[in-house]
Amino acid sequence: TGHSVSKSVAAAASSFTLDKLGSVSLKQNVSVKLTEMDIFTQPDGNILVYTLRYRNSSGSRVDLIDYFSQVSTPNGTTGKGKKVTSDAAKRTVPANSSLSVTYYANIGKLTKVNGIKVSMFGWDFGSANYQRKLGQFTIPAKYSSVVPIGKSKKITMNHLPVTAKVDTLQ
């Protein structure tokens, strides 16, 4: 039966977790990790949704406006991540705390997260284009989306509810 085959594929694919990508340091005692990534298939272009978990071990608050993430796809498309509606109000990470923020970006016809890069930037008025790359997360070939087959996940973008559903593993 084809059912047991897809189970073993899922098990092999899930052995790589985003946690293994480590974290990017934004400044002393402040870092960020990529914790979730999914693709929402839409007729007018697929949407990549990803969650960044900011960790602030410093004694003062961190303003998220000082940093931004950019998505690059293997086919050369790049776009700045925008906060999903429900996270729009998240602007600071208080001292000695963590905060998860979910972002989205249009990735065109791309249907797999493999090879996608999420780069972290900080504003730096001393550099040529006022921004400095602080690091990046690259999704390897062996990673597969975290939404289980047949299950769905709801999220709000631009005040529109969207449902992600994985029917097959690629």
Side-chain angles (χ1 to χ4, degrees):
T1 62
H3 205 65
S4 58
V5 173
S6 38
K7 270 196 180 127
S8 62
V9 168
S14 65
S15 65
F16 178 86
T17 59
L18 291 177
D19 199 54
K20 292 186 180 160
L21 294 178
S23 58
V24 168
S25 177
L26 300 181
K27 65 179 186 179
Q28 193 172 358
N29 298 321
V30 181
S31 63
V32 64
K33 276 181 95 74
L34 179 66
T35 59
E36 277 187 72
M37 181 174 278
D38 295 301
I39 291 176
F40 293 72
T41 311
Q42 304 294 303
D44 55 346
N46 297 336
I47 306 287
L48 179 78
V49 176
Y50 59 99
T51 301
L52 296 175
R53 185 156 180 82
Y54 297 90
R55 184 173 175 78
N56 179 5
S57 307
S58 75
S60 52
R61 72 166 206 211
V62 171
D63 292 319
L64 292 181
I65 199 162
D66 293 341
Y67 305 97
F68 67 92
S69 58
Q70 185 170 297
V71 172
S72 315
T73 65
N75 62 12
T77 315
T78 59
K80 202 167 159 181
K82 301 175 191 73
K83 287 182 201 170
V84 298
T85 310
S86 55
D87 284 356
K90 294 180 180 177
R91 295 191 170 96
T92 60
V93 187
N96 299 305
S97 70
S98 294
L99 179 72
S100 289
V101 183
T102 300
Y103 300 86
Y104 70 96
N106 193 312
I107 53 167
K109 295 284 171 227
L110 205 65
T111 57
K112 292 183 186 176
V113 298
N114 312 91
I116 288 179
K117 294 179 174 70
V118 176
S119 303
M120 296 304 302
F121 290 87
W123 295 109
D124 178 2
F125 297 103
S127 59
N129 56 358
Y130 303 120
Q131 58 195 37
R132 187 163 38 101
K133 188 171 176 179
L134 302 169
Q136 78 181 17
F137 304 101
T138 303
I139 309 301
K142 60 188 176 199
Y143 179 73
S144 128
S145 174
V146 294
V147 177
I149 294 177
K151 298 275 184 269
S152 62
K153 193 169 170 180
K154 282 194 167 30
I155 203 156
T156 309
M157 290 176 289
N158 282 349
H159 309 289
L160 297 169
V162 179
T163 301
K165 187 165 196 255
V166 179
D167 296 313
T168 56
L169 267 173
Q170 309 229 327

